[in-house]
Amino acid sequence: MKKNPRLEIDLDKITHNTKCIVKMCRKKKIEIVGITKGCSADEKVAKAMIDGGIKTLGDSRIENIKKLKESGIDSEMMLIRIPMHSELEELVDYVDISLNSEFSTIQKISVLAQEKNKEHKILLMIEMGDLREGIMPEEALNIIEKINKLPHVTLLGIGTNFCCISGIMPTIEKLEALVLLAKEIEKKIKKKIKIISGGNTSVLKLVEDDNIPEQVNQLRIGIGVLLGQDDARLRNLCGTYQDAFILTAEIVEIKIKPSFPFGIVGRDAFGQIPDFKDIGLRKRAILAIGKQDIYLSGLTPIKKGITIIAASSDHLLVDVSEFNENIEVGDEIQFQLDYPALLAATTSKYIHKYYN
Ligand SMILES: *Cc1c(COP(=O)(O)O)cnc(C)c1O
């Protein structure tokens, strides 16, 4: 018997999604970096991405990259969160390429790489309006000239990011500005900027619409591959699966109860004052999974007639009054996950993983 709660992962669907996106981008000579952070760098998922045509894997955490390497994956590895000074030793040991925006950090990487006699590649992040990582465009040339003087680090290219903190969407104008910046820098430093890394899944729409400058030659794709979604536009990517990951939880109580709590209202387990509507007597099921393992608003019951009521740390309540199949204690309920829910589910050590 399978253990619950569980996450079932269909590796063929991950490979399919990867192939689909790789193929679409290959037409535009864009290479895809497969981003594994959304599934806590599950090794089998990473391998499924490689089977789909991914050459470079990226993750935000060095622990994850280390884990992938130690599982025998020898793909090129990219660290996509700006590295901490306290992790540079491991960075140089395990990571081939890192996204950077601080010269002091790059300087330290150079010193360490020299000591270890290794080469490290840098993608310099440029701020294009989403206001997370990146230097302002006008500072790029100055920093790049300084990077080019450092031993054992190579500037591989420049990159940017959209739809991460501020929800700023990628546009052809923004990417053209990035390309123009690269051209200006190339002229000044008399060297080619090899990679222009245009962003994440939100940029795929521009590829689909043939609305992306031809010099953009790399995208870093996580959610598109894992969930077949473009979450910035709330749309599914054409030809991909959205259900490569399915979460299953088990019913431990099922009863007809009032929908409106009775007694004096205080705060719930998470400090909130709950707000419930009285919709009469309802059939309610308790599932043995909770906020420690899930991101509540990111779960969608797969079968019709099941709705989520609320959750505490270890219990998830669902209303099954409209569910017209026989249902009892011990039965299972399945959910599709969005990106935050997948992140939570793969981080929780209490959720058992099964692959098919
Ligand atoms: C998370 C992340 C990505 C991947 O984003 P998706 O929306 O999952 O495709 C790409 N680049 C950076 C810097 C990221 O942090």
Side-chain angles (χ1 to χ4, degrees), residues 35 37 60 80-81 99 125 132-133 160-164 199-202 220-224 231 339:
I35 304 297
K37 69 182 185 208
S60 44
I80 61 169
R81 179 169 68 188
L99 308 190
M125 293 302 275
R132 203 179 66 182
E133 72 274 47
T160 194
N161 212 20
F162 298 101
C163 292
C164 264
N200 60 6
T201 296
S202 65
R220 308 173 307 270
I221 306 293
I223 180 170
D231 53 336
Y339 191 72

Side-chain angles (χ1 to χ4, degrees), residues 303-345:
K303 288 197 171 165
K304 283 207 174 68
I306 300 173
T307 53
I308 293 172
I309 304 169
S312 55
S313 52
D314 309 295
H315 300 77
L316 172 62
L317 271 70
V318 293
D319 186 317
V320 291
S321 312
E322 318 291 333
F323 186 62
N324 43 31
E325 289 174 39
N326 187 33
I327 188 167
E328 50 192 70
V329 171
D331 284 352
E332 296 174 338
I333 292 185
Q334 298 192 309
F335 300 89
Q336 226 170 285
L337 304 94
D338 72 358
Y339 191 72
L342 181 62
L343 203 55

Side-chain angles (χ1 to χ4, degrees), residues 2 4 6-8 245-251 287 299-304 306 308 316 318 323 327 331-337 356:
K2 286 180 178 169
N4 282 329
R6 66 177 192 265
L7 186 67
E8 259 150 325
F245 297 87
I246 298 286
L247 184 69
T248 300
E250 187 175 321
I251 299 175
L287 304 176
L299 296 184
T300 310
I302 290 180
K303 288 197 171 165
K304 283 207 174 68
I306 300 173
I308 293 172
L316 172 62
V318 293
F323 186 62
I327 188 167
D331 284 352
E332 296 174 338
I333 292 185
Q334 298 192 309
F335 300 89
Q336 226 170 285
L337 304 94
N356 44 34

Side-chain angles (χ1 to χ4, degrees), residues 102-315:
E102 290 289 351
F103 184 67
S104 68
T105 307
I106 300 169
Q107 237 174 344
K108 284 190 185 334
I109 296 172
S110 165
V111 170
L112 278 168
Q114 189 162 23
E115 276 172 26
K116 290 171 185 282
N117 199 21
K118 292 202 166 188
E119 291 296 327
H120 190 85
K121 295 180 207 128
I122 305 279
L123 265 184
L124 189 67
M125 293 302 275
I126 311 291
E127 177 57 63
M128 298 301 290
D130 195 50
L131 298 183
R132 203 179 66 182
E133 72 274 47
I135 57 169
M136 296 302 280
E138 55 273 21
E139 291 162 14
L141 178 64
N142 181 24
I143 294 192
I144 287 175
E145 283 176 333
K146 289 200 286 181
I147 297 172
N148 281 342
K149 290 190 187 121
L150 298 176
H152 293 260
V153 289
T154 313
L155 182 87
L156 187 64
I158 60 174
T160 194
N161 212 20
F162 298 101
C163 292
C164 264
I165 285 282
S166 318
I168 293 298
M169 295 288 253
T171 57
I172 186 158
E173 290 78 18
K174 283 194 184 281
L175 288 173
E176 275 170 349
L178 188 69
V179 167
L180 189 65
L181 180 70
K183 284 185 179 161
E184 285 169 6
I185 293 169
E186 281 175 343
K187 230 189 268 167
K188 292 263 169 53
I189 64 171
K190 299 190 176 59
K191 247 198 206 161
K192 183 122 184 70
I193 303 265
K194 273 197 214 136
I195 301 284
I196 299 185
S197 190
N200 60 6
T201 296
S202 65
V203 184
L204 289 174
K205 182 81 170 78
L206 277 64
V207 180
E208 282 172 39
D209 296 349
D210 202 3
N211 203 19
I212 187 161
E214 60 177 89
Q215 294 86 348
V216 172
N217 55 7
Q218 182 187 83
L219 293 176
R220 308 173 307 270
I221 306 293
I223 180 170
V225 164
L226 299 171
L227 293 173
Q229 289 171 350
D230 171 359
D231 53 336
R233 296 177 186 78
L234 298 175
R235 70 185 185 114
N236 295 339
L237 295 173
C238 182
T240 60
Y241 294 104
Q242 285 70 52
D243 58 352
F245 297 87
I246 298 286
L247 184 69
T248 300
E250 187 175 321
I251 299 175
V252 293
E253 179 189 298
I254 187 158
K255 293 193 190 306
I256 310 271
K257 290 190 189 181
S259 47
F260 198 70
F262 40 93
I264 298 162
V265 177
R267 289 179 190 275
D268 69 12
F270 280 75
Q272 306 297 311
I273 299 175
D275 180 23
F276 289 107
K277 282 197 180 66
D278 190 354
I279 47 170
L281 286 175
R282 306 292 291 178
K283 191 173 181 187
R284 295 154 65 99
I286 299 180
L287 304 176
I289 190 170
K291 281 189 179 166
Q292 189 169 359
D293 320 292
I294 56 171
Y295 180 73
L296 193 57
S297 63
L299 296 184
T300 310
I302 290 180
K303 288 197 171 165
K304 283 207 174 68
I306 300 173
T307 53
I308 293 172
I309 304 169
S312 55
S313 52
D314 309 295
H315 300 77

